[in-house]
Amino acid sequence: MRKLAIIAAAALGALAALCAWGAVGTVLSSFPWPGARDAYRDGDYAYSVASPNTLRAYTASGSLVNSVSLAGLADAGDADHSVLGGAYIAVLDGKNLLRDYVISTGSLARSVAVADCVGYAYIPGGAYMYVAARAYVYRYKTGGSLVSSFRILGPYIGGIAAADAFNGQSGEYIIVAVWAYDSDVGMVYTGAGSAVATFTIPGSTYGCVCGPGYPASYGTTFWCNSDLGAGKRVAYQLDLGNGTAVAPVSLGRVRALFR
């Protein structure tokens, strides 16, 4: 009987593990991408802008696919989704100019003046754009009017990202990468500025974005460009808890273990 009890407990534990989602902040994948200034992710590739103005496309596992020059870009900062749609990428040029480029060709689609900022984010199809300056996050309508702002619990922002889901819950979420010693802190806020969660980000963050997970079963994940020292830049994909739960094993199959 004792042996059966142990087996039963193990079987139930296995069921719990199958139904569980990954822990927020878990590193799902990483690969080196030399010279990266930022990070971007769409349904096809992961991207970085390398000095001075080259957009590089990588497979989600880290193989370089191609590169194009971004016309007129001088000082690449944070990159994210563009309000113009999925065929475009938005890149901060310096701290007060946002440029939208055609991903396939690198041609400039538009330039928009923005307030002095270090980060930009946008949820595809959403109503708001987000910019980070000093210790503040500003929320703008896509037409440019300021809606709200809030102060983060940290001194310096290394990047900002936004998602419509976090830990399996839909909504409006803003993720701020705050510089800290050795490893950064990812701080998750609602659009209204309420703190939700924190997690650890390896290295020092230079740009981040929320995008499709690799593999897709992870749902929306957090992609960032991290400096690990001595100029080593690495792309990291971190779990946001949006993975698809594995279907549980039927009780009939569990009972079959004891026949």
Side-chain angles (χ1 to χ4, degrees), residues 39-56:
Y40 178 65
R41 167 71 171 160
D42 64 13
D44 297 317
Y45 302 110
Y47 303 84
S48 75
V49 178
S51 298
N53 62 351
T54 302
L55 178 65
R56 294 175 177 171

Side-chain angles (χ1 to χ4, degrees), residues 36-253:
R37 299 287 301 273
D38 50 32
Y40 178 65
R41 167 71 171 160
D42 64 13
D44 297 317
Y45 302 110
Y47 303 84
S48 75
V49 178
S51 298
N53 62 351
T54 302
L55 178 65
R56 294 175 177 171
Y58 295 81
T59 64
S61 58
S63 297
L64 181 63
V65 177
N66 59 45
S67 61
V68 295
S69 295
L70 299 180
L73 186 67
D75 184 19
D78 199 12
D80 213 289
H81 304 283
S82 169
V83 299
L84 300 181
Y88 302 86
I89 181 176
V91 185
L92 278 178
D93 192 349
K95 292 187 175 182
N96 52 19
L97 188 64
L98 182 66
R99 296 181 183 268
D100 294 272
Y101 290 94
V102 179
I103 291 175
S104 60
T105 64
S107 59
L108 179 64
R110 72 167 189 170
S111 294
V112 179
V114 294
D116 184 49
C117 61
V118 296
Y120 159 83
Y122 174 67
I123 301 172
Y128 305 107
M129 301 183 298
Y130 313 91
V131 298
R134 300 175 299 281
Y136 287 86
V137 172
Y138 296 89
R139 192 163 163 248
Y140 290 87
K141 288 185 178 180
T142 54
S145 58
L146 179 65
V147 176
S148 61
S149 64
F150 62 88
R151 194 186 194 286
I152 67 162
L153 300 173
Y156 192 85
I157 297 173
I160 184 174
D164 60 4
F166 175 74
N167 206 20
Q169 300 295 315
S170 60
E172 179 191 3
Y173 298 96
I174 302 166
I175 303 174
V176 179
V178 180
W179 279 5
Y181 183 74
D182 286 339
S183 294
D184 287 355
V185 178
M187 296 183 175
V188 185
Y189 293 88
T190 64
S194 297
V196 175
T198 63
F199 57 90
T200 300
I201 303 173
S204 296
T205 307
Y206 288 86
C208 54
V209 65
C210 292
Y214 173 72
S217 58
Y218 285 117
T220 299
T221 56
F222 179 80
W223 297 76
C224 62
N225 172 39
S226 293
D227 190 317
L228 301 186
K232 182 180 180 181
R233 297 293 170 96
V234 176
Y236 280 99
Q237 179 192 193
L238 304 183
D239 196 352
L240 291 180
N242 294 320
T244 303
V246 179
V249 179
S250 69
L251 291 177
R253 290 180 60 189

